Amino acid sequence: MTMPVELIMDGQMIRQNFKQKHLSQNWLMNELVSRSISDISEATYACLGTDQKL
């Protein structure tokens, strides 16, 4: 069973987790923009769920 992986904490990317999951900053920005967030620092918390979605 996979566990959710934290990607953003207090407006900061957790780069180690991005590398572990082979995710790019471009992917993250596209996901955030689709949720009306234009800058990573605006996101307090984000994780990759067990369904592999933000």
Side-chain angles (χ1 to χ4, degrees), residues 21-46:
K21 290 295 183 176
H22 307 287
L23 300 172
S24 69
Q25 185 172 348
N26 190 47
W27 170 84
L28 176 63
M29 287 309 303
N30 287 335
E31 293 292 319
L32 293 176
V33 167
S34 74
R35 291 162 175 80
S36 301
I37 299 171
S38 61
D39 190 87
I40 292 170
S41 64
E42 295 176 27
T44 304
Y45 179 82

Side-chain angles (χ1 to χ4, degrees), residues 1-2 5 7-8 12-13 16 19 23-24 27 30-31 34-37 42-44 47-48 53-54:
M1 176 187 230
T2 61
V5 176
L7 299 178
I8 298 175
Q12 300 292 316
M13 286 178 56
Q16 173 184 335
K19 288 181 184 179
L23 300 172
S24 69
W27 170 84
N30 287 335
E31 293 292 319
S34 74
R35 291 162 175 80
S36 301
I37 299 171
E42 295 176 27
T44 304
C47 72
L48 186 68
K53 295 182 181 179
L54 187 66

